[in-house]
Amino acid sequence: MAKSSAKLNEEQKQHVSKMGLIIIAQVVIMVALTIIMVIIVSSRIDEMIVADNTAITKEKCAELELYMQNSSTILTNYTSAPEILNVIKNPDDPAAVEAAQKYTEKISEGLSNLEGIYVSDWNTKVLAHTNKNVVGIVTRKDPAPLNELRQYLVNMPDNLYSAGIIVSPASGEQIISLYKGVFDESNNPVGLVGLGIYTDGIVEDMEQRNTKITSDSQYYMIDTHNQKYVFAHNKELMNRTLDDPEANTPPEFIELSNKLAATMENTSGTVSFKRDGKSFYGIYSYVGYMGQVFIIDGSTRELFRLTYNMLIFLIIFTIIYIVIGVFFYNLVKKQEETVYKLDKSLKKTQKTKQSLNSAIFQDMLTDCKNRVSFTNDFERGKVPDAPDYPYYFMMFNISEFSAINILYGEDIGDEVLANVANTIRSSLEGADLYRTGSDEFVAVMQGQGNLQGTSRVCSYADQTISALSRPINTAAGPVNAMFRASIVKKSTGIDPSVLPALKDTLNQSGIAHPGQIPFLDMDTL
């Protein structure tokens, strides 16, 4: 009987010892998996932070370009007005001059941030101007600047010349300066019109919109050709040269400006520097033809705070997990029941991990996979090449979605997003759907690589655009939204680079209509 009891105790000890080893192994494995997961997710989040804030700088540059385009449109419309054309033909006719002046003053009243709009003869004698007191003066008395202006107006496309952002000699304020030549039926120059728009409107827009990516963020617009601050968060920097000692410009900004000045291509990137002893991370976008670079910076620690927090979480989680492991290991030595309880606890922890994983990779509002999931799913080398059965990526972007949020409120905006996701899912059954931006969705499917397969996918995209173009039912009633779209095909070397390709292709066209969705075959690049 004693031997039997001793044998039983020995078996129990061996069982307890095995359970303890199993628990220790589980702790080690879970900690290792958590470390790997945190590293992968942190890396993806860092990439997303840079990508999202690069999009902000590109948006601001796009706003500046839009200002230029709007100004060009205003000037073109002004040029074609009968009163303006008549005064150029009849500069000595008082009635023509009076009519042109009245028209100029009338159009000026409807333009915000206007410094002045005017018409002059080919020798730059002002015939009509927003400021009536300027009428009659000659703006280019010296032959050299006059001939330079004439050359630009004759040779530039549409006879439209942009002097960019300059300090106005008339007001001493920063303006966007534009000129357009006027030509007769024989294509001989007979006059010109000019326009000055204060850049204060752009600066006010920067202040009103959230351009801060951290609490101590600053923004800058730099003219790389003149090496000057066009405008900045710190108003004292405006119109200062980069090498001005009082500007305290980081050397990295000067180096970046010199590098960008040598190119006409639009580009974006990052730059690291120090300010007041703190590390900062700058994200920039450059408008090549204007020579303007827009930079937003932020504290490196605050910008990548989520990564730091995840590292802290990893340390705490590891310590807690080790403590729990030791605690349960000791309990296992005392009784088998404790092992059972520990098993339940580990299963619960596994479920918690799965819930955390779902929260990281799933968009809760639309029930789509999110951008982190897209990056993870299409990580380079993860997706096998499929030359005969390529992947088709379709991007759908809600145009001017921010206007919907402003007009109807964010709750209705959320309804619109959920409805858009459901419509895409219904139209593209079997496709994987990702929400890769606040108003951006990407559907992924495989299909035949021949012309017939490509046509079929394009037809699916057309049907989806048709479905999306219908009014969206919300609690506030039907909401109309417009969409932009693009399609990218890729069969080998599939990785997250398809996202920039989708966006670039999408930005080449306006509102999407069936049969007009831009398509890019990346296999041919």
Side-chain angles (χ1 to χ4, degrees), residues 388-403:
D388 297 325
Y389 206 60
Y391 283 82
Y392 290 89
F393 299 82
M394 290 168 276
M395 176 174 282
F396 302 93
N397 174 266
I398 306 175
S399 182
E400 301 296 333
F401 178 69
S402 58

Side-chain angles (χ1 to χ4, degrees), residues 453-517:
T454 299
S455 298
R456 183 179 296 112
V457 171
C458 290
S459 176
Y460 292 157
D462 289 340
Q463 293 172 16
T464 304
I465 281 297
S466 295
L468 291 171
S469 299
R470 302 186 186 105
I472 300 170
N473 293 322
T474 69
V479 174
N480 292 306
M482 295 183 293
F483 295 80
R484 297 185 297 162
S486 62
I487 306 171
V488 166
K489 171 188 168 188
K490 192 169 177 64
S491 62
T492 60
I494 298 168
D495 59 25
S497 67
V498 298
L499 272 183
L502 278 165
K503 289 187 178 181
D504 289 342
T505 306
L506 180 142
N507 290 330
Q508 291 174 9
S509 63
I511 301 304
H513 299 286
Q516 300 178 12
I517 298 176

Side-chain angles (χ1 to χ4, degrees), residues 18 29 38 41-42 47 56 81 86 96 101 132 163 177 197 238 284 296 357 368 386 471 517 524:
K18 289 180 181 179
I29 291 172
V38 169
V41 173
S42 297
E47 292 173 2
I56 292 175
N86 186 40
Q101 182 60 34
K132 193 173 183 179
S177 181
I197 300 289
M238 292 175 64
Y284 69 84
I296 301 178
N357 187 68
C368 301
I517 298 176
T524 63

Side-chain angles (χ1 to χ4, degrees), residues 62-103:
E63 289 174 10
L64 178 60
E65 290 187 275
L66 184 60
Y67 259 80
M68 297 296 291
Q69 292 171 3
N70 289 342
S71 300
S72 299
T73 301
I74 292 169
L75 198 59
T76 299
N77 293 338
Y78 178 74
T79 305
S80 61
E83 294 88 343
I84 302 305
L85 296 175
N86 186 40
V87 78
I88 291 175
K89 291 180 180 180
N90 305 286
D92 298 323
D93 184 351
V97 172
E98 182 180 357
Q101 182 60 34
K102 286 183 178 179
Y103 175 76

Side-chain angles (χ1 to χ4, degrees), residues 117-261:
I117 187 169
Y118 73 92
V119 56
S120 73
D121 62 19
W122 191 237
N123 293 315
T124 71
K125 179 182 178 182
V126 178
L127 304 175
H129 195 286
T130 301
N131 181 359
K132 193 173 183 179
N133 295 328
V134 179
V135 174
I137 70 169
V138 177
T139 62
R140 295 288 192 284
K141 294 182 179 180
D142 294 333
L146 174 61
N147 290 332
E148 181 181 18
L149 177 61
R150 286 175 170 177
Q151 287 297 317
Y152 278 124
L153 294 177
V154 169
N155 297 321
M156 294 297 284
D158 298 324
N159 308 116
L160 186 67
Y161 166 54
S162 168
I165 297 176
I166 65 171
V167 176
S168 169
S171 63
E173 301 290 337
Q174 273 194 165
I175 62 169
I176 295 173
S177 181
L178 290 172
Y179 302 91
K180 182 175 178 61
V182 181
F183 296 76
D184 61 18
E185 294 80 359
S186 301
N187 204 32
N188 295 314
V190 293
L192 61 92
V193 294
L195 172 70
I197 300 289
Y198 289 115
T199 58
D200 288 349
I202 306 176
V203 177
E204 289 173 5
D205 187 57
M206 294 293 179
E207 295 295 342
Q208 292 172 1
R209 299 194 182 198
N210 183 17
T211 54
K212 283 183 171 288
I213 57 177
T214 64
S215 60
D216 50 4
S217 283
Q218 295 194 23
Y219 63 81
Y220 319 84
M221 178 68 83
I222 296 173
D223 187 326
T224 61
H225 296 157
N226 297 325
Q227 297 290 297
K228 282 186 175 183
Y229 289 98
V230 178
F231 51 78
H233 179 81
N234 180 2
K235 302 299 186 297
E236 295 181 359
L237 291 178
M238 292 175 64
N239 290 321
R240 288 186 182 272
T241 58
L242 299 186
D243 57 4
D244 187 333
E246 295 185 9
N248 197 25
T249 303
E252 293 82 359
F253 279 20
I254 298 176
E255 181 180 348
L256 174 65
S257 180
N258 289 331
K259 182 181 75 172
L260 294 176

